[in-house]
Amino acid sequence: MKLRFGVSLGNRVEELPRVIDRLESAGVDSLWFSELVYTPAVDPFAGMAYTLGRTDRLKVGTSVAVLPGRNPVLVAKALASLAALGPKRVLPAFGLRPASPAEWDLFAVPDGKRAAVFDEALQVVRALLTGDEVSFDGTFFQLTAASLGIRPPAPVDIWLGGSAPAAFRRIGRLADGWLGSFLTPDEARVARDSIERAAAQAGRTIEPDHFGLSLGVADGGLGHEIAAAIRSRRPDADPADLVAGDWSQLHRQLDGLIAAGLSKFVIRPVGDTPSDEFIDRFITELLPRQN
């Protein structure tokens, strides 16, 4: 399987041009944009478009953007446009809701229907990205002979986030890959097995190298504040098993995850490491591990 390492940096407007140029010149695989509305981070779709226009090789992805609460036809149009402008360089990954509860109301869906809306929206996006005319008669979305007028020159794979059994079933039934987070290698192995079982039950297969994880790495250990934030999300786990306190620990985590069958990784700094310093270390530590 191809081992690939991408970067997620928060992507503030004032830093983005310099970051993009550095990643492109170094041969880094990909730059990922998170859905962080009430922060200085750029919008994922705007960031992807800007990056594609500034580079010739660097891939772009979302880690992760929210799908339920967006019109799936408009999402498909944006992705088809991006994929036409940057063939084989657009890597969309979607999730159920924003990470920050303060942003939940920005992606409104009918009460108790978020998972059902997600499933339908994903089916609409996937169908429209084929470039064919699409008719769809769902509970939440209806289309009659709809076509975007743009056929991406190469298929656009759609990955999903999530770490719950329901997410694994959805990925197996409807998605092309998985980008998880905050999981140990053992948990990641269970996730992969669950996704593959769900895919088989749906008469589908997920490509063997379409399983990945977003990983954080600190510089000099996990401080009390960072450890507390991790515990608030995963009170059942040791923070050091989920976020690396240094680059040596990150390599050990990667060894376990690769042994569990994962091969795609999005690496983000945790703490106050300057972006230039983080990128230099990323290049030194991780580019030699790609195959």
Side-chain angles (χ1 to χ4, degrees):
M1 295 188 295
K2 292 182 179 179
L3 292 179
R4 293 293 182 266
F5 301 94
V7 168
S8 177
L9 286 166
N11 301 320
R12 299 169 67 99
V13 170
E14 63 272 17
E15 292 188 343
L16 190 56
R18 186 179 71 254
V19 165
I20 291 170
D21 293 348
R22 181 75 176 99
L23 298 179
E24 173 82 352
S25 64
V28 173
D29 180 73
S30 52
L31 175 62
W32 296 75
F33 294 84
S34 298
E35 187 93 73
L36 300 167
V37 180
Y38 293 139
T39 77
V42 302
D43 172 81
F45 290 89
M48 289 193 296
Y50 179 79
T51 304
L52 291 174
R54 195 177 178 94
T55 60
D56 296 315
R57 188 208 51 78
L58 186 65
K59 299 171 188 172
V60 292
T62 58
S63 64
V64 293
V66 178
L67 184 55
R70 280 189 166 100
N71 186 304
V73 178
L74 300 182
V75 172
K77 182 70 173 187
L79 290 177
S81 302
L82 290 168
L85 294 167
K88 299 183 179 181
R89 294 203 287 148
V90 180
L91 309 169
F94 290 107
L96 192 65
R97 68 171 75 246
S100 170
E103 299 175 5
W104 287 1
D105 290 343
L106 301 178
F107 300 90
V109 299
D111 289 344
K113 303 296 184 180
R114 182 164 295 274
V117 171
F118 195 4
D119 287 359
E120 276 198 17
L122 183 59
Q123 293 175 68
V124 169
V125 170
R126 288 178 60 90
L128 287 168
L129 284 175
T130 65
D132 300 324
E133 285 192 351
V134 174
S135 294
F136 187 88
D137 185 17
T139 303
F140 309 101
F141 305 105
Q142 293 81 38
L143 302 175
T144 302
S147 174
L148 299 177
I150 300 174
R151 182 186 294 271
V156 180
D157 289 335
I158 297 179
W159 294 36
L160 300 184
S163 57
F168 301 150
R169 291 192 293 270
R170 177 179 296 110
I171 295 162
R173 288 187 293 109
L174 299 173
D176 298 302
W178 171 60
L179 182 67
S181 63
F182 286 94
L183 296 175
T184 66
D186 287 343
E187 291 168 339
R189 186 189 300 275
V190 171
R192 174 171 177 150
D193 291 344
S194 299
I195 292 167
E196 289 182 325
R197 282 198 303 272
Q201 290 169 1
R204 305 178 66 239
T205 58
I206 306 292
E207 293 291 332
D209 64 349
H210 282 200
F211 294 85
L213 208 69
S214 174
L215 294 168
V217 57
D219 190 5
L222 299 179
H224 174 75
E225 186 174 335
I226 294 172
I230 299 168
R231 287 193 186 95
S232 70
R233 180 164 177 169
R234 284 291 309 272
D236 58 325
D238 183 343
D241 291 336
L242 303 174
V243 176
D246 55 37
W247 289 89
S248 295
Q249 185 179 356
L250 178 67
H251 281 292
R252 291 193 292 272
Q253 289 181 350
L254 288 169
D255 290 341
L257 292 165
I258 293 167
L262 278 63
S263 62
K264 302 297 184 287
F265 303 97
V266 177
I267 312 300
R268 66 187 188 279
V270 175
D272 299 324
T273 305
S275 59
D276 290 334
E277 182 179 326
F278 173 80
I279 291 170
D280 288 343
R281 193 67 185 270
F282 174 96
I283 291 168
T284 300
E285 297 282 348
L286 295 181
L287 289 196
R289 293 198 66 160
Q290 293 193 161
N291 55 11

